[in-house]
Amino acid sequence: MNRFSSRIRLTLATAGLAATLVPAAVFAAADAVNVEISTTEGVIALRLDPVKSPETVKNFLAYAEKGFYDNTIFHRVIDGFMIQGGGFTADMRQKATDIAIVNEARNGLSNRRGTIAMARTSEPHSATSQFFINVEDNTFLDAREAQDGWGYAVFGRVTRGMDVVDKIAQAKTGRKAGMSDVPVKTVTIRSVKIVK
């Protein structure tokens, strides 16, 4: 999800999408995993769904457990759409990642407000470390609506800290190191930790 056309952005701006969080029951599996993303703007708590997104959750947790996300940034922020991070340092250096994972977007989970999903390139099975949190209902990113037939794999939802997500989404952005939509004031991910 590195680039979206202006047509998609216009659709987001005019669609009047609902701003409701995904019901907790959707991610209430007994073996769900809770994590906290500590940022310079506050803490975002998430519940991950390893039942519907086993490979994606395993991948995310592997990066978290080895401290990969520590001191990375939210490098792409579009208000009314999503906030993306997990791959770049503050000096806009892209970190080396593990191998890409299979796309689990056909798992029945939807890119609704407050869900976390994997970012990828135009290649369906190219997700590595980068993720995004949906600020609005972005169902056009779901497999059933995606132009490429694949979409973007949702693997959890925000349980606390959506106000932090919204604050990050409203950050002033500009161009940096050849990339657009980069927050002018750096938003750092201090850590991603598994919590009991």
Side-chain angles (χ1 to χ4, degrees), residues 97-173:
T97 63
D98 297 331
I99 61 170
I101 59 171
V102 65
N103 189 332
E104 294 181 311
R106 295 174 178 167
N107 60 14
L109 302 178
S110 180
N111 282 275
R112 300 282 183 176
R113 172 172 163 81
T115 55
I116 184 171
M118 292 305 294
R120 63 174 177 84
T121 67
S122 58
E123 163 57 42
H125 306 289
S126 59
T128 54
S129 67
Q130 292 184 41
F131 60 88
F132 63 95
I133 300 174
N134 289 292
V135 177
E136 297 289 347
D137 288 351
N138 295 319
T139 58
F140 72 95
L141 298 178
D142 294 347
R144 69 178 179 277
E145 295 184 32
Q147 291 181 349
D148 66 0
W150 281 98
Y152 296 80
V154 172
F155 62 101
R157 71 169 182 91
V158 174
T159 56
R160 178 173 45 85
M162 199 61 200
D163 57 329
V164 176
V165 174
D166 289 333
K167 183 178 179 182
I168 295 169
Q170 293 162 13
K172 182 180 179 182
T173 61

Side-chain angles (χ1 to χ4, degrees), residues 51-115:
V51 174
K52 293 189 175 180
S53 307
E55 294 304 315
T56 308
V57 170
K58 178 181 175 183
N59 177 71
F60 182 84
L61 294 178
Y63 281 111
E65 288 174 341
K66 65 183 178 182
F68 179 93
Y69 293 124
D70 297 1
N71 299 310
T72 59
I73 63 170
F74 281 101
H75 65 275
R76 184 166 178 250
V77 168
I78 303 174
D79 194 15
F81 182 22
M82 58 89 227
I83 63 173
Q84 180 176 335
F88 287 84
T89 58
D91 60 1
M92 298 304 290
R93 181 180 56 83
Q94 188 167 8
K95 296 182 73 172
T97 63
D98 297 331
I99 61 170
I101 59 171
V102 65
N103 189 332
E104 294 181 311
R106 295 174 178 167
N107 60 14
L109 302 178
S110 180
N111 282 275
R112 300 282 183 176
R113 172 172 163 81
T115 55

